[in-house]
Amino acid sequence: DARQKVGLFTDPPYYSPPAMAVSGTASFPDVASLEGKNLGTVTGYVWAKSIAQVPNASPHTFPNAEGVFQDISSGRLDVGFLDPLLITYQQQQRPDMKVRIEYLKPPTNEQVAAHPDYKYFQAYMTGFYLPKQSPKLAKAVSDQIDAMYKDGSLAALITKWGGDPKQFLV
């Protein structure tokens, strides 16, 4: 809300599902499976508040995604919350790190009521943030995003980078 008062958001190019970077065969299907684990994300990402509320977990924030990937690969982190397309890109660029993507089942309304910051474990809209003085640019970018939904180019880009349009474009 505070950012919306001083800037402009474009239409969402995609909706980010709750994705996790993990290593090995461990599975983390839901929030309860994160309890007591070493969790990480990038400072300022929406998940920083969420991981801090997981019971008995050790939350860690990093200045960039590379630090998260390094600590997952080395075993210092169990789970890293990052943009799913970034995780997929990392898999393609650095297969030696053996990082894979896993999607978290979003928390229930009851879980969010008990832990309000769990809302960030739910899918969220992405968008471009522009200065308040740039309404024409915001409209032009939004118009292009809307056209890309209609002509299928966003679905093609999501697929190209390893995402599932059924998860990203709803």
Side-chain angles (χ1 to χ4, degrees):
D1 289 338
R3 289 175 53 192
Q4 195 163 3
K5 290 177 184 170
V6 295
L8 302 169
F9 287 98
T10 65
D11 287 352
Y14 65 91
Y15 297 80
S16 188
M20 302 171 290
V22 298
S23 181
T25 59
S27 181
F28 304 96
D30 53 30
V31 176
S33 67
L34 301 174
E35 292 181 15
K37 303 297 182 200
N38 286 308
L39 309 175
T41 193
V42 174
T43 303
Y45 277 18
V46 296
W47 302 288
K49 291 179 179 182
S50 298
I51 65 175
Q53 286 200 357
V54 175
N56 303 312
S58 296
H60 305 273
T61 57
F62 296 79
N64 55 50
E66 186 59 32
V68 177
F69 287 124
Q70 290 290 338
D71 275 23
I72 290 167
S73 181
S74 70
R76 289 185 295 266
L77 278 182
D78 297 300
V79 175
F81 283 89
L82 297 164
D83 183 277
L85 297 179
L86 181 59
I87 299 168
T88 301
Y89 180 77
Q90 184 75 4
Q91 288 175 297
Q92 294 169 350
Q93 299 301 307
R94 293 287 311 273
D96 58 300
M97 294 184 98
K98 298 183 171 121
V99 172
R100 64 182 178 82
I101 192 167
E102 186 172 329
Y103 292 98
L104 184 75
K105 178 183 174 188
T108 65
N109 291 337
E110 292 79 22
Q111 288 173 307
V112 173
H115 302 278
D117 286 331
Y118 277 12
K119 67 184 173 188
Y120 300 111
F121 285 143
Q122 298 172 325
Y124 68 90
M125 287 189 297
T126 63
F128 296 101
Y129 186 64
L130 301 169
K132 198 77 153 176
Q133 303 82 1
S134 302
K136 289 181 183 178
L137 177 60
K139 183 178 180 340
V141 171
S142 290
D143 288 349
Q144 185 61 44
I145 290 168
D146 294 346
M148 292 174 76
Y149 269 100
K150 289 176 186 160
D151 72 11
S153 13
L154 274 176
L157 285 170
I158 295 292
T159 301
K160 175 183 177 181
W161 293 106
D164 179 357
K166 292 176 188 160
Q167 290 188 36
F168 286 82
L169 301 179
V170 291

